[in-house]
Amino acid sequence: MITLGVADVSRARAFYERLGWRGQEAEETVFFQAGGMAVVLWARHKLAGDAGIEDRDAGGFGGLALAHNVRSRVEVDGVLAEAASAGAAITQPARETFYGGYAGYFTDPDGHAWEVAYNPGFAVGPDGSITVPDFGAS
Amino acid sequence: MITLGVADVSRARAFYERLGWRGQEAEETVFFQAGGMAVVLWARHKLAGDAGIEDRDAGGFGGLALAHNVRSRVEVDGVLAEAASAGAAITQPARETFYGGYAGYFTDPDGHAWEVAYNPGFAVGPDGSITVPDFGAS
């Protein structure tokens, strides 16, 4: 489960629903099923308080990126275009990657970073799950 | 896939391996299979650069929390104790939650927040996948 701290739960829900997700709300918290995971939207100050962490920063780069791995270059372009028209900022247009894939990044209205990636070395299952290949090394 | 930006890939890998995960490294990047997901460790400045996002903050609360959902209260206590002995900071000791569950939080050596939660309303599958129940409302 991944909980995204957001400034405005309704605004964030509307953004992700424009991407085609369907959320359910309870106690001012929105839950999306995403494959075998759940993505949750919750007020950022409530999340910080619940986690016992002081929130000195209002947003900006959170130091991590969520990735949506897709099955083709065309799908990367499609998801990024959909995100842009839903109001995302495209921080990195799709481009060829050093590992032989193709990827770009967007940020959601709260600055959470998402990569949209096609990586031919990482199998994407029918349910969207991803399998790290055996590198044959440690 | 979730990529965690870290200050020192080896230090971060050692931390997660003390939690029982097994990583594979390629190009100074470490990949862990976690159920149907992959968790990736990569230098924070490389991730910010790749994402096209300026990194003005060196750490602190990233505005989101990853959650490891487990099957019992006892398991919550066990994972938090394991994290503490691996060097995590326990930012919120486990406690009963308003939704009838039991949860606590820790941060990893780079400040990434993890919740360890037992939620009786969310089924955890044999592979660790989680299913959001039907709330019967939108």
Side-chain angles (χ1 to χ4, degrees):
Chain A
M1 197 148 102
I2 299 172
T3 302
L4 304 179
V6 301
D8 179 331
V9 171
S10 300
R11 179 185 70 170
R13 178 181 184 169
F15 171 77
Y16 284 101
E17 295 205 330
R18 281 195 295 276
L19 293 185
W21 294 20
R22 289 290 306 149
Q24 297 191 82
E25 190 160 348
E27 308 270 355
E28 298 175 336
T29 311
V30 174
F31 296 83
F32 298 100
Q33 184 78 44
M37 296 175 41
V39 174
V40 182
L41 307 176
W42 199 24
R44 181 174 170 122
H45 70 278
K46 291 184 189 172
L47 177 60
D50 196 50
I53 299 172
E54 195 190 350
D55 188 9
R56 282 163 300 199
D57 186 21
F61 184 52
L64 60 77
L66 307 173
H68 178 189
N69 284 64
V70 297
R71 295 177 183 77
S72 67
R73 286 172 169 74
V74 169
E75 213 179 327
V76 171
D77 290 333
V79 173
L80 284 171
E82 200 171 48
S85 68
I90 304 297
T91 57
Q92 187 68 266
R95 53 182 185 175
E96 297 295 322
T97 66
F98 70 89
Y99 53 78
Y102 183 73
Y105 288 83
F106 68 85
T107 52
D108 80 3
D110 292 281
H112 296 297
W114 283 90
E115 184 183 16
V116 183
Y118 165 64
N119 182 338
F122 282 58
V124 177
D127 59 349
S129 65
I130 191 163
T131 303
V132 178
D134 186 345
F135 295 173
S138 65
Chain B
M1 198 148 101
I2 299 172
T3 302
L4 303 180
V6 300
D8 178 333
V9 171
S10 301
R11 179 185 69 170
R13 177 181 184 171
F15 171 77
Y16 284 102
E17 295 206 328
R18 281 195 294 275
L19 293 186
W21 294 20
R22 289 290 306 150
Q24 296 191 84
E25 189 160 351
E27 307 271 354
E28 299 175 335
T29 312
V30 175
F31 297 82
F32 298 99
Q33 183 79 42
M37 296 175 40
V39 174
V40 182
L41 307 175
W42 200 24
R44 182 174 170 123
H45 70 277
K46 291 184 189 171
L47 177 60
D50 196 51
I53 299 173
E54 194 191 350
D55 188 10
R56 283 163 300 200
D57 186 20
F61 184 53
L64 60 76
L66 307 173
H68 177 189
N69 284 64
V70 296
R71 295 176 183 78
S72 67
R73 286 172 168 75
V74 169
E75 214 179 327
V76 171
D77 290 332
V79 174
L80 284 171
E82 200 171 48
S85 68
I90 304 298
T91 58
Q92 187 68 268
R95 53 182 185 175
E96 297 296 323
T97 67
F98 70 89
Y99 54 78
Y102 182 74
Y105 288 83
F106 68 84
T107 51
D108 80 3
D110 291 282
H112 296 297
W114 283 90
E115 184 183 17
V116 183
Y118 165 65
N119 183 338
F122 283 58
V124 177
D127 60 349
S129 66
I130 191 162
T131 304
V132 178
D134 186 347
F135 296 171
S138 66

